[in-house]
């Protein structure tokens, strides 16, 4: 009976001991980083884990910000700090992996970006006050631009951009006088230097472009007709315009428009024989107004080119940009007199074959001839002359 009395406690002790041993065997001691990578902008970089270190370099163009880290550790282990909280790498840091059984392992992470070798001036823009870009030859280091006479070379403000991580000397903010060539030294992050010379010149080459071929004539000015369909007498004013696209920069001095004859009353063909005023509006490609001017036409005018003096406007027409020159008879509705704009309806290419424009305002509709909403493209190319300096 005494043997049976102590049998149950003995079995219970051994059972508990065996359960404790089994439980301890289930706690893993694995605390290794099995793989490590960083990603940015769809590009992933993998790094090898050696002992307790993760080291490596990325290309100079791979920025170490806006990152996402991918770190693989054993099931049941934890890592600190959480990789998804690390968005940039600015130096070495540590990751601690803790196994199920509490064992910790520290990993030193040291990832750097290769120093950049870029030492370029990327942009050199002149504030006049609009930004005027320059030609930059990255091989020779020559920065050039021909500038109008109205730009003061001894007091220029510039907007200069150069390679990221590079340095520049002297500081562009301290340079105002470009009347003589100015040298800048751009030093890359890796220490490679390149010298750029800014050489600005005056636009001093005279240039004239003339478009005189005409085989069609468009209404220009007012209208006194009493029997015109859908029109009231002394109600409308008709304008003319021409698209200007140049192959080189030009400072315009004179723009001339052509009229086939002097102004007259269409109703009785009587000549007006009084002075009139034409107004010119210069617009950009979006038809925003850049400048305006007027010119007088004598009472004895009988046809030909009528010049507008543009010298005081201080305009620079840049190469390969679109401009619209648009002219009309001031008070054309009230005067009721007309003339005709010579045009060319043939197809072609080059300066004289850009799109023409026309416009029509009416007193009865309360429209304004200067409003771009009354303008529309015309299929003809109108007779004009443009003078200036390149």
């Amino acid at each position: 009976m005494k043997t049976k009395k102590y049998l149950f406690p003995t079995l219970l002790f051994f059972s508990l001991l065996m359960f404790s041993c089994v439980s301890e065997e289930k706690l893993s001691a694995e605390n290794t980083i099995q793989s490590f990578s960083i990603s940015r902008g769809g590009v992933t970089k993998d790094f090898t884990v050696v002992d307790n270190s993760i080291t490596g370099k990325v290309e100079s163009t791979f920025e170490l910000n806006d990152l996402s880290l991918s770190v693989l550790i054993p099931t049941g282990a934890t890592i600190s700090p959480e990789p998804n909280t690390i968005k940039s790498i600015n130096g070495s840091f540590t990751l601690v992996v803790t196994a199920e059984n509490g064992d910790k392992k520290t990993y030193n992470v040291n990832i750097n970006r290769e120093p950049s070798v870029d030492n370029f001036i990327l942009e050199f823009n002149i504030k006049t006050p609009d930004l005027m870009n320059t030609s930059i030859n990255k091989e020779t280091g020559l920065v050039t631009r021909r500038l109008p006479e109205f730009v003061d070379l001894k007091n220029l403000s510039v907007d200069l951009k150069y390679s990221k991580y590079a340095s520049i000397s002297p500081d562009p903010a301290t340079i105002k006088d470009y009347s003589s060539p100015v040298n800048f030294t751009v030093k890359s992050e890796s220490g490679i230097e390149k010298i750029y010379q800014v050489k600005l010149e005056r636009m001093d080459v005279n240039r004239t472009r003339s478009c005189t071929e005409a085989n069609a004539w468009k209404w220009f000015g007012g209208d006194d007709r009493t029997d015109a369909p859908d029109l009231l007498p002394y109600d409308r004013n008709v304008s003319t315009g021409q698209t200007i696209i140049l192959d080189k920069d030009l400072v315009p001095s004179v723009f001339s428009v052509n009229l086939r004859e002097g102004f007259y009353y269409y109703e009785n063909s009587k000549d007006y024989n009084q002075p009139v005023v034409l107004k010119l509006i210069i617009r950009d490609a979006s038809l925003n107004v850049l400048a305006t001017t007027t010119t007088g036409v004598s009472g004895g005018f009988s046809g030909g080119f009528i010049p507008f003096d543009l010298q005081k406007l201080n305009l620079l027409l840049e190469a390969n940009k679109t401009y619209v020159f648009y002219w009309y008879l001031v008070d054309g509705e009230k005067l009721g007199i007309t003339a005709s704009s010579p045009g060319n309806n043939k197809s072609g290419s080059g300066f004289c074959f850009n799109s023409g424009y026309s416009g029509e305002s009416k007193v009865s509709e309360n429209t304004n001839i200067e409003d771009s909403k009354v303008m529309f493209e015309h299929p003809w190319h109108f007779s004009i002359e443009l003078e200036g300096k390149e």
Side-chain angles (χ1 to χ4, degrees), residues 220-263:
F220 178 81
D223 195 338
D224 70 328
R225 289 179 296 172
T226 58
D227 59 350
D230 302 320
L231 292 175
L232 297 174
Y234 296 91
D235 187 43
R236 73 169 184 159
N237 196 7
V238 179
S239 60
T240 303
Q242 182 65 31
T243 300
I244 301 294
I245 303 175
L246 302 168
D247 57 352
K248 291 184 179 181
D249 292 350
L250 182 80
V251 177
S253 56
V254 180
F255 178 74
S256 301
V257 302
N258 195 7
L259 294 180
R260 185 185 188 184
E261 63 280 298
F263 287 94

Coordinates of all heavy atoms in Angstrom, one line a residue, residues 220-263:
F220 N -9.7 95.0 -95.6 CA -9.0 95.5 -94.5 C -9.6 96.9 -94.1 O -9.8 97.7 -95.0 CB -7.5 95.7 -94.7 CG -6.8 96.3 -93.5 CD1 -6.4 95.5 -92.5 CD2 -6.5 97.7 -93.5 CE1 -5.7 96.1 -91.4 CE2 -5.8 98.2 -92.4 CZ -5.4 97.4 -91.4
G221 N -10.0 97.1 -92.9 CA -10.6 98.3 -92.4 C -12.1 98.3 -92.3 O -12.7 97.2 -92.0
G222 N -12.7 99.5 -92.4 CA -14.2 99.6 -92.1 C -15.0 99.2 -93.3 O -14.5 98.8 -94.4
D223 N -16.3 99.5 -93.2 CA -17.2 99.0 -94.3 C -18.5 100.0 -94.3 O -19.2 100.0 -93.3 CB -17.7 97.6 -94.0 CG -18.3 97.0 -95.2 OD1 -18.8 97.7 -96.1 OD2 -18.3 95.7 -95.3
D224 N -18.6 100.7 -95.4 CA -19.8 101.6 -95.5 C -20.9 101.1 -96.3 O -21.9 101.8 -96.6 CB -19.3 103.0 -96.0 CG -19.0 102.9 -97.5 OD1 -18.5 101.8 -97.9 OD2 -19.2 103.9 -98.2
R225 N -20.9 99.9 -96.7 CA -21.9 99.3 -97.7 C -23.3 99.3 -97.0 O -23.4 98.9 -95.9 CB -21.5 98.0 -98.1 CG -20.3 97.9 -99.1 CD -19.9 96.5 -99.5 NE -19.5 95.7 -98.4 CZ -19.2 94.4 -98.4 NH1 -19.4 93.8 -99.6 NH2 -18.8 93.8 -97.4
T226 N -24.3 99.7 -97.8 CA -25.7 99.6 -97.3 C -26.4 98.4 -97.8 O -27.5 98.1 -97.3 CB -26.4 100.9 -97.8 OG1 -26.4 100.9 -99.3 CG2 -25.8 102.1 -97.2
D227 N -25.8 97.7 -98.8 CA -26.5 96.5 -99.3 C -25.7 95.2 -99.1 O -25.9 94.2 -99.8 CB -26.7 96.7 -100.8 CG -25.4 97.0 -101.6 OD1 -24.4 97.1 -101.0 OD2 -25.5 97.0 -102.9
A228 N -24.7 95.2 -98.2 CA -23.9 94.0 -98.0 C -24.8 93.0 -97.2 O -25.5 93.4 -96.3 CB -22.7 94.3 -97.2
P229 N -24.7 91.7 -97.6 CA -25.5 90.7 -96.9 C -25.1 90.6 -95.4 O -23.9 90.5 -95.1 CB -25.2 89.4 -97.7 CG -23.9 89.7 -98.4 CD -23.9 91.2 -98.6
D230 N -26.0 90.5 -94.5 CA -25.8 90.3 -93.1 C -24.9 91.3 -92.5 O -24.3 91.1 -91.4 CB -25.3 88.9 -92.8 CG -26.2 87.8 -93.4 OD1 -27.4 88.0 -93.3 OD2 -25.6 86.8 -94.0
L231 N -24.7 92.5 -93.1 CA -23.9 93.5 -92.5 C -24.6 94.9 -92.5 O -25.4 95.2 -93.4 CB -22.6 93.7 -93.4 CG -21.6 92.6 -93.4 CD1 -20.5 92.9 -94.3 CD2 -21.0 92.3 -92.0
L232 N -24.3 95.7 -91.5 CA -24.8 97.0 -91.4 C -23.7 98.0 -91.8 O -22.5 97.7 -91.6 CB -25.2 97.3 -89.9 CG -26.4 96.5 -89.4 CD1 -26.6 96.8 -87.9 CD2 -27.7 96.7 -90.1
P233 N -24.0 99.1 -92.4 CA -23.0 100.1 -92.7 C -22.4 100.7 -91.5 O -23.0 100.9 -90.5 CB -23.7 101.1 -93.6 CG -25.2 101.0 -93.2 CD -25.4 99.5 -92.8
Y234 N -21.1 101.0 -91.5 CA -20.3 101.6 -90.4 C -20.5 100.8 -89.1 O -20.6 101.3 -88.1 CB -20.8 103.0 -90.2 CG -20.6 104.0 -91.3 CD1 -21.5 104.1 -92.3 CD2 -19.4 104.6 -91.5 CE1 -21.3 105.0 -93.4 CE2 -19.1 105.5 -92.6 CZ -20.1 105.6 -93.5 OH -19.9 106.4 -94.6
D235 N -20.4 99.4 -89.3 CA -20.6 98.5 -88.2 C -19.4 97.7 -87.9 O -19.1 97.5 -86.7 CB -21.8 97.6 -88.5 CG -22.2 96.8 -87.3 OD1 -22.2 97.3 -86.1 OD2 -22.4 95.6 -87.4
R236 N -18.7 97.3 -88.9 CA -17.6 96.4 -88.7 C -16.2 97.0 -89.0 O -16.1 98.0 -89.7 CB -17.8 95.1 -89.5 CG -17.5 95.2 -91.0 CD -17.5 93.9 -91.7 NE -17.1 94.0 -93.1 CZ -16.6 93.0 -93.8 NH1 -16.4 91.8 -93.3 NH2 -16.4 93.1 -95.1
N237 N -15.2 96.3 -88.4 CA -13.8 96.6 -88.7 C -13.0 95.3 -88.9 O -13.2 94.3 -88.1 CB -13.2 97.4 -87.5 CG -11.8 98.1 -87.9 OD1 -11.4 98.1 -89.1 ND2 -11.2 98.7 -87.0
V238 N -12.3 95.2 -90.0 CA -11.6 93.9 -90.3 C -10.1 94.1 -90.2 O -9.5 95.1 -90.8 CB -11.9 93.5 -91.7 CG1 -11.2 92.2 -92.1 CG2 -13.4 93.3 -91.9
S239 N -9.4 93.2 -89.5 CA -8.0 93.3 -89.3 C -7.2 92.3 -90.1 O -7.8 91.4 -90.7 CB -7.7 93.1 -87.8 OG -8.1 91.8 -87.4
T240 N -5.9 92.3 -90.0 CA -5.0 91.4 -90.7 C -3.9 91.0 -89.8 O -3.5 91.8 -88.9 CB -4.5 91.9 -92.0 OG1 -5.5 92.3 -92.9 CG2 -3.6 90.9 -92.7
G241 N -3.4 89.8 -89.9 CA -2.3 89.3 -89.0 C -1.4 88.3 -89.7 O -1.8 87.8 -90.8
Q242 N -0.2 88.1 -89.2 CA 0.7 87.2 -89.8 C 1.5 86.5 -88.7 O 2.0 87.2 -87.8 CB 1.6 87.9 -90.8 CG 2.6 87.0 -91.5 CD 1.9 86.0 -92.4 OE1 0.8 86.2 -92.9 NE2 2.5 84.8 -92.5
T243 N 1.7 85.2 -88.8 CA 2.5 84.5 -87.9 C 4.0 84.7 -88.2 O 4.4 84.6 -89.4 CB 2.2 83.0 -87.9 OG1 0.9 82.8 -87.5 CG2 3.1 82.2 -86.9
I244 N 4.8 85.0 -87.2 CA 6.3 85.2 -87.4 C 7.0 84.1 -86.7 O 6.9 84.0 -85.5 CB 6.7 86.6 -86.9 CG1 5.9 87.7 -87.6 CG2 8.2 86.8 -87.1 CD1 6.2 87.8 -89.1
I245 N 7.9 83.4 -87.4 CA 8.8 82.4 -86.8 C 10.1 82.6 -87.5 O 10.3 82.5 -88.7 CB 8.3 80.9 -87.1 CG1 6.9 80.7 -86.5 CG2 9.2 79.9 -86.4 CD1 6.3 79.4 -86.8
L246 N 11.1 82.8 -86.6 CA 12.5 83.1 -87.1 C 13.4 81.9 -86.8 O 13.3 81.2 -85.9 CB 13.0 84.4 -86.4 CG 12.2 85.6 -86.6 CD1 12.6 86.7 -85.6 CD2 12.3 86.1 -88.0
D247 N 14.5 81.9 -87.7 CA 15.5 80.8 -87.5 C 16.6 81.3 -86.6 O 17.4 80.5 -86.1 CB 16.0 80.3 -88.8 CG 16.6 81.5 -89.7 OD1 16.5 82.7 -89.3 OD2 17.2 81.2 -90.7
K248 N 16.7 82.6 -86.3 CA 17.7 83.2 -85.4 C 17.0 84.3 -84.6 O 16.1 84.9 -85.0 CB 18.9 83.8 -86.2 CG 19.8 82.8 -86.9 CD 21.0 83.5 -87.6 CE 21.9 82.4 -88.2 NZ 23.0 83.1 -88.9
D249 N 17.6 84.5 -83.4 CA 17.1 85.6 -82.6 C 17.2 86.9 -83.4 O 18.1 87.1 -84.1 CB 17.9 85.7 -81.3 CG 17.7 84.5 -80.4 OD1 16.8 83.7 -80.6 OD2 18.5 84.4 -79.4
L250 N 16.2 87.8 -83.1 CA 16.2 89.1 -83.8 C 15.7 90.2 -82.9 O 14.7 90.0 -82.2 CB 15.3 89.0 -85.1 CG 15.3 90.3 -85.9 CD1 16.5 90.4 -86.8 CD2 14.0 90.3 -86.8
V251 N 16.3 91.3 -82.9 CA 15.8 92.5 -82.2 C 15.2 93.4 -83.3 O 15.9 94.0 -84.2 CB 16.9 93.3 -81.5 CG1 16.3 94.6 -80.9 CG2 17.5 92.5 -80.4
P252 N 13.8 93.4 -83.4 CA 13.2 94.1 -84.6 C 13.3 95.6 -84.4 O 13.1 96.1 -83.3 CB 11.8 93.5 -84.5 CG 11.5 93.2 -83.0 CD 12.9 92.8 -82.5
S253 N 13.5 96.2 -85.5 CA 13.5 97.7 -85.5 C 12.4 98.3 -86.3 O 11.8 99.3 -86.0 CB 14.8 98.2 -86.1 OG 15.1 97.7 -87.4
V254 N 12.0 97.6 -87.4 CA 10.9 98.1 -88.2 C 10.0 96.9 -88.7 O 10.6 95.9 -89.2 CB 11.3 98.9 -89.5 CG1 10.2 99.3 -90.3 CG2 12.2 100.1 -89.1
F255 N 8.7 97.0 -88.6 CA 7.8 96.0 -89.2 C 6.9 96.7 -90.1 O 6.3 97.7 -89.7 CB 7.0 95.3 -88.1 CG 6.0 94.3 -88.6 CD1 6.5 93.1 -89.1 CD2 4.7 94.6 -88.6 CE1 5.6 92.1 -89.6 CE2 3.8 93.7 -89.1 CZ 4.2 92.4 -89.6
S256 N 6.8 96.3 -91.3 CA 6.0 97.0 -92.3 C 4.9 96.1 -92.9 O 5.1 94.9 -93.1 CB 6.9 97.5 -93.5 OG 7.9 98.3 -93.1
V257 N 3.7 96.7 -93.1 CA 2.6 95.9 -93.6 C 2.2 96.5 -95.0 O 2.5 97.7 -95.2 CB 1.4 96.0 -92.7 CG1 1.7 95.4 -91.3 CG2 0.8 97.4 -92.5
N258 N 1.6 95.8 -95.8 CA 1.3 96.2 -97.2 C -0.2 96.3 -97.4 O -1.0 95.5 -97.0 CB 1.9 95.1 -98.1 CG 2.0 95.6 -99.6 OD1 1.7 96.8 -99.8 ND2 2.3 94.7 -100.5
L259 N -0.5 97.4 -98.0 CA -1.9 97.6 -98.5 C -1.9 97.9 -100.0 O -1.0 98.6 -100.5 CB -2.6 98.8 -97.8 CG -2.8 98.7 -96.3 CD1 -3.5 99.9 -95.7 CD2 -3.7 97.4 -96.0
R260 N -2.8 97.3 -100.7 CA -2.8 97.4 -102.2 C -3.0 98.8 -102.7 O -2.5 99.2 -103.7 CB -3.9 96.5 -102.7 CG -3.9 96.4 -104.2 CD -5.0 95.5 -104.7 NE -5.0 95.2 -106.1 CZ -5.9 94.6 -106.8 NH1 -7.0 94.1 -106.2 NH2 -5.8 94.3 -108.1
E261 N -3.9 99.6 -101.9 CA -4.2 100.9 -102.4 C -4.5 101.8 -101.1 O -4.4 101.3 -100.0 CB -5.5 100.9 -103.2 CG -6.8 100.4 -102.5 CD -6.8 98.9 -102.4 OE1 -6.9 98.2 -103.4 OE2 -6.8 98.4 -101.3
G262 N -4.8 103.1 -101.4 CA -5.2 104.0 -100.3 C -6.6 103.7 -99.8 O -7.3 103.0 -100.5
F263 N -7.0 104.2 -98.7 CA -8.3 104.0 -98.2 C -9.4 104.7 -99.0 O -9.2 105.8 -99.4 CB -8.4 104.4 -96.7 CG -7.6 103.5 -95.8 CD1 -6.3 103.8 -95.4 CD2 -8.2 102.3 -95.3 CE1 -5.6 102.9 -94.6 CE2 -7.5 101.5 -94.5 CZ -6.2 101.8 -94.1

